[in-house]
Amino acid sequence: MRLTSFTDYTLRSLMYLGMNRDKLVTIQEIADLHDISKNHLTKVIHQLGASGLVETVRGRHGGLRLNREPEDINIGEVVRDSESDFHIAECFEADAGNCAFLRDCALKRKLGEATDAFLHVLDGMTLADILPGPHGGKSGKGGEKTIILQKMRI
Protein backbone atom coordinates (compact mmCIF):
# COMPACT_ATOMS: atom_id res chain seq x y z
CA MET A 1 0.00 0.00 0.00
CA ARG A 2 1.24 3.45 -0.84
CA LEU A 3 -0.10 6.73 0.47
CA THR A 4 -0.59 9.64 -1.90
CA SER A 5 1.80 12.57 -1.80
CA PHE A 6 -1.10 14.62 -0.39
CA THR A 7 -1.25 12.37 2.68
CA ASP A 8 2.53 12.28 2.94
CA TYR A 9 2.68 16.09 2.97
CA THR A 10 -0.21 16.20 5.43
CA LEU A 11 1.66 13.99 7.89
CA ARG A 12 4.95 15.84 7.40
CA SER A 13 3.24 19.19 7.96
CA LEU A 14 1.58 17.99 11.15
CA MET A 15 4.86 16.60 12.42
CA TYR A 16 6.70 19.84 11.73
CA LEU A 17 3.98 21.87 13.43
CA GLY A 18 4.09 19.48 16.38
CA MET A 19 7.84 19.97 16.66
CA ASN A 20 7.50 23.76 16.55
CA ARG A 21 4.72 24.44 19.02
CA ASP A 22 6.47 27.54 20.37
CA LYS A 23 6.18 29.59 17.17
CA LEU A 24 4.08 30.23 14.10
CA VAL A 25 5.31 28.33 11.06
CA THR A 26 4.88 29.41 7.43
CA ILE A 27 3.87 27.26 4.50
CA GLN A 28 7.07 28.36 2.78
CA GLU A 29 9.14 27.08 5.71
CA ILE A 30 7.59 23.61 5.45
CA ALA A 31 7.86 23.62 1.64
CA ASP A 32 11.55 24.57 1.78
CA LEU A 33 12.33 21.96 4.44
CA HIS A 34 10.86 19.14 2.37
CA ASP A 35 11.65 20.58 -1.06
CA ILE A 36 8.03 20.41 -2.17
CA SER A 37 5.74 22.75 -4.10
CA LYS A 38 4.35 25.62 -2.02
CA ASN A 39 1.20 25.58 -4.17
CA HIS A 40 0.58 21.89 -3.47
CA LEU A 41 1.33 22.37 0.22
CA THR A 42 -1.15 25.25 0.36
CA LYS A 43 -3.92 22.81 -0.62
CA VAL A 44 -2.78 20.44 2.13
CA ILE A 45 -2.78 23.20 4.74
CA HIS A 46 -6.20 24.41 3.57
CA GLN A 47 -7.65 20.95 4.25
CA LEU A 48 -5.90 20.77 7.63
CA GLY A 49 -7.39 24.15 8.52
CA ALA A 50 -10.86 23.14 7.36
CA SER A 51 -10.65 19.97 9.46
CA GLY A 52 -9.75 21.98 12.55
CA LEU A 53 -6.34 20.36 13.05
CA VAL A 54 -4.40 23.49 12.10
CA GLU A 55 -5.06 27.10 12.98
CA THR A 56 -4.06 29.66 10.36
CA VAL A 57 -3.15 33.14 11.55
CA ARG A 58 -3.41 35.81 8.87
CA GLY A 59 -1.40 38.94 8.56
CA ARG A 60 2.17 40.09 8.27
CA HIS A 61 3.33 38.04 11.25
CA GLY A 62 0.91 35.20 10.62
CA GLY A 63 1.51 31.53 10.11
CA LEU A 64 0.32 28.12 11.18
CA ARG A 65 0.10 26.18 14.39
CA LEU A 66 -1.57 23.05 15.65
CA ASN A 67 -5.10 23.66 16.84
CA ARG A 68 -5.16 20.54 19.00
CA GLU A 69 -2.69 18.80 21.24
CA PRO A 70 -0.55 16.17 19.45
CA GLU A 71 -2.02 13.51 21.78
CA ASP A 72 -5.47 14.35 20.43
CA ILE A 73 -4.61 13.97 16.73
CA ASN A 74 -5.23 10.39 15.60
CA ILE A 75 -3.07 9.34 12.65
CA GLY A 76 -5.66 6.88 11.33
CA GLU A 77 -8.25 9.66 11.12
CA VAL A 78 -5.77 11.99 9.41
CA VAL A 79 -4.92 9.36 6.80
CA ARG A 80 -8.58 8.53 6.14
CA ASP A 81 -9.39 12.24 5.75
CA SER A 82 -6.55 12.90 3.32
CA GLU A 83 -6.81 9.78 1.12
CA SER A 84 -9.53 9.72 -1.53
CA ASP A 85 -9.94 5.93 -1.24
CA PHE A 86 -8.12 2.75 -0.33
CA HIS A 87 -8.80 0.86 -3.55
CA ILE A 88 -5.55 -1.02 -3.85
CA ALA A 89 -6.71 -3.13 -6.79
CA GLU A 90 -9.07 -2.69 -9.72
CA CYS A 91 -11.67 -4.99 -8.17
CA PHE A 92 -12.30 -2.45 -5.38
CA GLU A 93 -13.69 0.08 -7.86
CA ALA A 94 -17.46 0.52 -8.16
CA ASP A 95 -17.55 -0.93 -11.68
CA ALA A 96 -15.19 -3.74 -10.54
CA GLY A 97 -13.19 -3.61 -13.72
CA ASN A 98 -13.04 -6.62 -15.97
CA CYS A 99 -11.45 -9.29 -13.80
CA ALA A 100 -12.63 -12.79 -14.66
CA PHE A 101 -12.03 -13.98 -11.09
CA LEU A 102 -14.14 -11.33 -9.34
CA ARG A 103 -17.08 -13.57 -8.45
CA ASP A 104 -15.11 -16.06 -6.30
CA CYS A 105 -11.94 -14.11 -5.62
CA ALA A 106 -10.25 -14.63 -2.27
CA LEU A 107 -7.56 -12.09 -3.13
CA LYS A 108 -9.97 -9.14 -2.93
CA ARG A 109 -11.08 -10.30 0.53
CA LYS A 110 -7.49 -10.70 1.73
CA LEU A 111 -6.47 -7.31 0.34
CA GLY A 112 -9.43 -5.80 2.16
CA GLU A 113 -8.29 -7.46 5.39
CA ALA A 114 -4.76 -6.14 4.84
CA THR A 115 -6.09 -2.61 4.33
CA ASP A 116 -8.16 -2.90 7.50
CA ALA A 117 -5.09 -4.10 9.44
CA PHE A 118 -3.03 -1.19 8.08
CA LEU A 119 -5.65 1.32 9.18
CA HIS A 120 -6.04 -0.43 12.54
CA VAL A 121 -2.33 0.16 13.27
CA LEU A 122 -2.66 3.83 12.34
CA ASP A 123 -5.76 4.13 14.52
CA GLY A 124 -3.58 3.23 17.50
CA MET A 125 -1.18 6.13 16.87
CA THR A 126 -1.35 9.81 17.66
CA LEU A 127 0.77 12.65 16.38
CA ALA A 128 2.54 12.67 19.77
CA ASP A 129 3.60 9.05 19.16
CA ILE A 130 5.43 9.88 15.94
CA LEU A 131 7.07 13.18 16.84
CA PRO A 132 10.85 12.81 16.96
CA GLY A 133 13.11 13.76 19.84
CA PRO A 134 11.83 15.54 22.93
CA HIS A 135 8.64 16.56 21.13
CA GLY A 136 7.01 13.14 21.33
CA GLY A 137 7.71 9.55 20.49
CA LYS A 138 5.99 8.05 23.51
CA SER A 139 6.49 4.61 22.02
CA GLY A 140 10.20 4.71 22.89
CA LYS A 141 11.32 3.41 19.51
CA GLY A 142 14.51 5.43 19.13
CA GLY A 143 15.47 3.95 15.77
CA GLU A 144 12.28 5.25 14.20
CA LYS A 145 13.04 8.73 15.52
CA THR A 146 16.45 8.71 13.87
CA ILE A 147 15.00 7.74 10.49
CA ILE A 148 12.32 10.43 10.72
CA LEU A 149 14.92 13.05 11.65
CA GLN A 150 17.10 12.06 8.71
CA LYS A 151 14.18 12.28 6.27
CA MET A 152 13.21 15.67 7.67
CA ARG A 153 16.83 16.90 7.41
CA ILE A 154 16.88 18.05 11.01
Side-chain angles (χ1 to χ4, degrees), residues 12 17 19 47 50-52 59 66 71 85 87 89 101 106 110 118 130 132 136 147:
R12 290 194 217 183
L17 292 170
M19 294 168 57
Q47 180 174 322
S51 72
L66 288 179
E71 299 83 21
D85 64 57
H87 299 168
F101 301 115
K110 291 300 181 185
F118 171 75
I130 63 172
I147 292 169

Side-chain angles (χ1 to χ4, degrees), residues 99-119:
C99 179
F101 301 115
L102 188 59
R103 175 178 257 159
D104 296 315
C105 183
L107 179 60
K108 178 179 178 181
R109 185 175 56 255
K110 291 300 181 185
L111 290 175
E113 290 173 13
T115 300
D116 291 343
F118 171 75
L119 292 170

